[in-house]
Amino acid sequence: MSDTHLRLGVNIDHVATVRNARGGAYPDPLRAARIAEEAGADGITAHLREDRRHISDADIDGLMEVLSVPLNFEMAATDEMQKIALRHKPHAVCIVPEKREERTTEGGLEVAREENRLAHFIAPLREAGCRVSIFIAADMKQIEAAHRIGAEVIELHTGAYCDAHSEGRLEERDRELEALREMSTFAHSLGLEVHAGHGLTYDTVQPVAAFPEVRELNIGHFLIGEAIFRGLTPAIAEMRRLMDAARA
Ligand code: PXP
């Protein structure tokens, strides 16, 4: 794969959300992961939340066993999650902020104020061979802090940009997009690998996919929703097509 290839990580959390709405085993996130691989996903992303509201520990065990593409394991910076990550040693670990009461990951991680703790937290993960990514807002202070603590990757939170777009706040959307553009250039200049994600849809993906410094997009909720209407394979194929077109 060339250095300019924009990777697509498919987040399968919400297959598990649907499963958990009824309990039982259907629909199976592992089956979704295998279909996503065949449809051209470069990686699979899954967030094991403290409250296990979607992905379960057994899902992570299964993903580690069956995947032939890398697993990007999203987790909060807690001792429990660190132990789980060190047991599995996934390809990548993405550290995200987590609040029990939030519906989804609302903002980026506060790295600057927790630099010491996070530096110690990620060190064993890096030693275990995981690529550590930090999910942050497009904020220079947070990017510098992520760099200082030894992260190799940052993932820029695209939620504010996507929300502004879907709610028709177009000036704000353009400002958010500009911040993402500037901060992806800045992070890249520090030697960080830049990823992006959260809330991306067919309507919002292309301007972000066009940033040359962005190497990976992680997309979940929209794709799983779109799969209801057109099936998972075509839903992913269309995202892939839009990303490639934006990149060309
Ligand atoms: N990236 C990170 C770090 C996330 O926490 C999430 C949501 O779990 C995503 C990407 C995907 O967001 P969405 O499901 O809105 O596409």
Side-chain angles (χ1 to χ4, degrees):
M1 217 49 92
S2 83
D3 247 23
T4 56
H5 175 74
L6 177 61
R7 292 194 301 266
L8 170 60
V10 173
N11 180 317
I12 55 163
D13 290 351
H14 297 298
V15 179
T17 304
V18 177
R19 175 194 61 195
N20 295 0
R22 282 290 174 92
Y26 189 84
D28 178 8
L30 264 57
R31 182 172 166 200
R34 280 193 298 261
I35 291 172
E37 269 184 17
E38 279 163 23
D42 301 286
I44 298 296
T45 294
H47 182 179
L48 185 66
R49 279 184 167 266
E50 183 198 11
D51 62 10
R52 311 300 199 266
R53 69 176 70 160
H54 38 58
I55 292 295
S56 68
D57 298 72
D59 292 330
I60 298 295
D61 295 345
L63 287 168
M64 285 302 298
E65 240 172 70
V66 306
L67 285 186
S68 46
V69 295
L71 175 67
N72 175 31
F73 178 60
E74 286 183 9
M75 59 176 234
T78 63
D79 291 347
E80 182 201 14
M81 289 300 150
Q82 191 192 50
K83 277 198 199 98
I84 295 171
L86 288 173
R87 195 169 71 239
H88 286 299
K89 301 187 180 55
H91 167 83
V93 170
C94 181
I95 312 291
V96 303
E98 201 175 295
K99 289 193 224 116
R100 236 173 205 277
E101 64 281 8
E102 71 191 352
R103 240 189 266 165
T104 181
T105 313
E106 280 165 358
L109 194 68
E110 174 50 64
V111 196
R113 262 190 270 133
E114 284 209 81
E115 230 176 283
N116 248 337
R117 183 178 87 82
L118 287 169
H120 283 103
F121 185 83
I122 69 169
L125 296 167
R126 293 197 59 200
E127 279 157 27
C130 305
R131 276 173 79 69
V132 175
S133 158
I134 310 279
F135 190 43
I136 47 179
D139 175 340
M140 191 178 278
K141 207 167 65 193
Q142 302 298 340
I143 294 169
E144 286 171 336
H147 179 57
R148 278 195 300 268
I149 66 171
E152 294 167 273
V153 182
I154 57 151
E155 179 161 333
L156 292 173
H157 196 309
T158 51
Y161 153 69
C162 292
D163 287 348
H165 176 85
S166 65
E167 290 160 21
R169 291 178 275 114
L170 300 188
E171 280 176 24
E172 192 180 329
R173 175 199 63 188
D174 294 346
R175 270 200 309 278
E176 293 292 346
L177 189 63
E178 197 44 39
L180 289 165
R181 183 198 317 280
E182 284 173 11
M183 290 305 107
S184 56
T185 306
F186 175 65
H188 184 257
S189 76
L190 295 179
L192 289 160
E193 182 170 309
V194 183
H195 300 176
H198 206 281
L200 291 169
T201 66
Y202 295 153
D203 289 338
T204 50
V205 72
Q206 288 197 299
V208 181
F211 299 162
E213 297 87 359
V214 173
R215 296 291 313 277
E216 176 174 312
L217 298 179
N218 283 299
I219 308 179
H221 183 263
F222 174 80
L223 285 176
I224 303 307
E226 189 64 13
I228 295 170
F229 304 108
R230 57 168 105 193
L232 189 53
T233 299
I236 292 171
E238 176 62 4
M239 191 60 84
R240 183 75 263 170
R241 187 189 71 74
L242 290 167
M243 286 165 58
D244 291 343
R247 205 68 170 184

